[in-house]
Amino acid sequence: MLLPGVLGGRIAFVTGTLVLAAAPIGRVEDASGRLVRALGEADVIAAEDTRRLRRLAGELGVELSGRVVSHYEQNEKVRAEELLGELLGGRDVLVITDAGMPGVSDPGYRLVRAAIVEGVPVSVLPGPSAVTAALVVSGLPTDRFCFEGFPPRKAGERARRLASLAGEARTMVFFESPRRLGGTLADMADAFGADRPAAVCRELTKTYEEVRRGTLGELAAWAEEGVRGEITLVVGGAPEPEGLTDPADLAAAVAARVDAGTPRKQAIVDVAKENGVPKRVVYDAVVQAKK
């Protein structure tokens, strides 16, 4: 049952507040004082991993007085309905993930949308985020950027997704598994060009923090030996075009080289390099011209 209150001389119903809390991405001392207080006061705490939550609370010296429930990808839909019921019943719900901000490649968005629809107040406790931390240490432009999450796991889907981003002018931030990093960097070098600047940020804020900067080609070669730890990948945006950009013009340039005796594969490489566009863009232009 909703708790009654008074608003403008009318009886209104008071719900709880949904609080999204950023958790440290490495060092526990990065936790804010507001997070410490909120953990001790929340009626319900929805955690991605309840064991890690209790370990964090212990390190912070916080006694959890509220009910603790799991809230992860596989149970997010069902749990969101349950948590919405808690909010409508007048209880405050705090959502926290293993690291960083809930809703950013972690559970949270579904519950936020449901709460907004029901008129439940939504608040945030800002704090650590691997996205912005990696962006600012990458050395790449920060005035405009976009977050692309995890690239698709399957090679074909990943190649198509990256090809669609080849012309993205903003700095791009990705998450990636260390097991797939080498393959993803190689695919990015193919889609964006091997000379595109990038940075691999590993174990941010932790003891073995490392930021490796270079071109996508260089980073792909480095990652072939294997990489460990939590990975955030930052890739520079597409440069301003200096040469041909229209697909028909690119295809015509390739055709002219082929007519002059250059093998088609080499002609595509040459036209791409001269015009500062990815090989895949030129290849797609040639295929489209044939159609």
Side-chain angles (χ1 to χ4, degrees), residues 6 17 36 70 78 89 95-96 115 150 164 166 181 187 285:
V6 177
T17 297
V36 172
S70 62
V78 174
V95 176
I96 188 168
F150 283 91
S164 72
L181 180 62
D187 288 346

Side-chain angles (χ1 to χ4, degrees), residues 145-287:
F145 71 94
C146 59
F147 175 59
E148 291 294 328
F150 283 91
R153 295 186 179 187
K154 295 182 179 179
E157 294 178 8
R158 184 167 63 243
R160 288 190 290 274
R161 173 75 62 80
L162 296 176
S164 72
L165 294 171
E168 174 58 65
R170 296 171 293 181
T171 299
M172 294 171 282
V173 183
F174 300 84
F175 289 158
E176 187 53 294
S177 160
R179 298 189 304 276
R180 294 190 295 272
L181 180 62
T184 294
L185 286 168
D187 288 346
M188 287 181 170
D190 183 49
F192 303 156
D195 293 334
R196 184 78 70 90
V200 175
C201 303
R202 188 180 70 85
E203 294 290 271
L204 285 171
T205 78
K206 301 176 185 177
T207 302
Y208 298 104
E209 174 179 302
E210 177 185 18
V211 180
R212 177 79 59 155
R213 303 175 182 87
T215 65
L216 285 172
E218 293 168 343
L219 293 172
W222 163 75
E224 284 182 353
E225 300 179 3
V227 180
R228 292 184 176 183
E230 298 286 338
I231 302 294
T232 306
L233 177 58
V234 187
V235 182
E240 290 293 330
E242 297 180 355
L244 302 176
T245 57
D246 185 86
D249 293 338
L250 291 170
V254 171
R257 287 176 179 271
V258 172
D259 290 343
T262 302
R264 192 182 76 157
K265 184 175 181 180
Q266 185 60 47
I268 290 174
V269 171
D270 292 343
V271 171
K273 186 174 182 180
E274 288 181 4
N275 293 280
V277 296
K279 290 184 294 183
R280 184 175 295 276
V281 172
V282 181
Y283 175 81
D284 290 344
V286 171
V287 172

Side-chain angles (χ1 to χ4, degrees), residues 80-136:
E81 295 175 358
E82 176 188 328
L83 294 172
L84 182 62
E86 296 282 5
L87 290 162
L88 294 176
R91 287 170 287 279
D92 294 333
V93 174
L94 183 143
V95 176
I96 188 168
T97 64
D98 292 344
M101 180 62 70
V104 181
S105 283
D106 280 319
Y109 171 77
R110 188 188 299 271
L111 179 56
V112 170
R113 289 302 311 163
I116 291 173
V117 169
E118 294 293 336
V120 173
V122 180
S123 183
V124 62
L125 298 183
S129 168
V131 175
T132 52
L135 177 67
V136 297

